[in-house]
Amino acid sequence: METMGRRFRRLLEDEPYLFTGGIYDPLGAQLAERTGMKSIYLSGYSMALANGWPDMGFLTQTEVTRIASMVASATSLPIIADADDGYGNALSTIRTVQEFVKTGVAGIHLEDQVFPKRCGHIAGKMVVPFEQAIGKYRAAIDTRNRLDRDFVIIARTDAYGAVGGSMEDAIRRGRAYADAGVDLVWAELSNASREPAIAF
């Protein structure tokens, strides 16, 4: 049987553009499927707000994986889930990958922010030191390879909009995360000033 991770990877190979709409609950997943979407994104921002919290690390890993499991059970679409910053250090990231693999989602994205994280669109974000971030992504990849090689690991860098951050740091980190073995890199290019990002 084809895994959800494999289905998502095949979509990336076959589709010229893959629109992955954001949802936060099982009903939203079913509506996305009925409208013809081919994949969906389980939004951490939306899950937090739906539970009455700002997107600042208030939801725990077990709360988010419980929601992910319910959403995965409600749809046949591959889901990429927001796993925040892995909920701590490299050891926490190992557990995070283990728990998300169990939910049935296709993969997760992991941020390089400090714990507890902040929404990518607000001021005051801080990223972990470069070597610590590499260690977390390597821990995620090693765990994925042990449990389900199709499971997708997306590295998100918030370096551009972080305190003291820059486009150069975002590019350096993104390339290093790719070299470390993540499947995809997401450079969060918003910052609190809402200035347009300049692509290099």
Side-chain angles (χ1 to χ4, degrees):
M1 188 172 93
E2 186 177 46
T3 66
M4 284 297 177
R6 173 45 47 200
R7 284 186 62 191
F8 186 77
R9 290 170 185 275
R10 187 163 42 80
L11 284 170
L12 291 176
E13 293 168 0
D14 295 345
E15 297 292 322
Y17 178 81
L18 183 60
F19 181 78
T20 303
I23 56 95
Y24 60 89
D25 65 2
L27 178 59
Q30 292 173 339
L31 292 172
E33 187 167 6
R34 285 185 177 222
T35 62
M37 288 189 186
K38 296 181 179 178
S39 63
I40 49 181
Y41 173 70
L42 184 56
S43 164
Y45 173 88
S46 299
M47 282 187 284
L49 267 59
N51 283 275
W53 295 104
D55 184 18
M56 296 179 70
F58 286 101
L59 289 186
T60 65
Q61 178 246 87
T62 52
E63 288 174 304
V64 175
T65 53
R66 180 183 59 81
I67 296 167
S69 182
M70 291 189 302
V71 171
S73 297
T75 181
S76 63
L77 296 178
I79 300 161
I80 296 298
D82 184 343
D84 284 348
D85 53 10
Y87 305 95
N89 60 17
L91 293 175
S92 301
T93 301
I94 290 169
R95 170 98 193 277
T96 295
V97 174
Q98 289 174 339
E99 295 303 316
F100 271 103
V101 166
K102 294 177 192 175
T103 68
V105 300
I108 57 175
H109 94 255
L110 290 163
E111 301 158 13
D112 59 2
Q113 288 193 45
V114 299
F115 178 82
K117 55 78 52 104
R118 290 172 176 251
C119 171
H121 300 273
I122 62 176
K125 295 186 300 182
M126 295 180 16
V127 293
V128 298
F130 180 79
E131 291 301 328
Q132 185 179 337
I134 295 292
K136 286 177 70 168
Y137 290 119
R138 286 183 177 149
I141 294 157
D142 289 346
T143 306
R144 181 272 311 275
N145 290 346
R146 183 170 45 84
L147 299 174
D148 176 1
R149 287 189 170 270
D150 288 334
F151 192 77
V152 177
I153 302 289
I154 301 170
R156 184 179 113 181
T157 180
D158 284 84
Y160 174 69
V163 174
S166 66
M167 179 65 79
E168 291 76 13
D169 191 29
I171 292 169
R172 178 178 76 105
R173 284 174 177 257
R175 287 178 173 160
Y177 302 162
D179 290 342
V182 301
D183 299 297
L184 299 163
V185 173
W186 166 3
E188 176 59 55
L189 296 180
S190 64
N191 63 26
S193 70
R194 297 291 189 262
E195 295 172 356
I198 300 170
F200 286 55

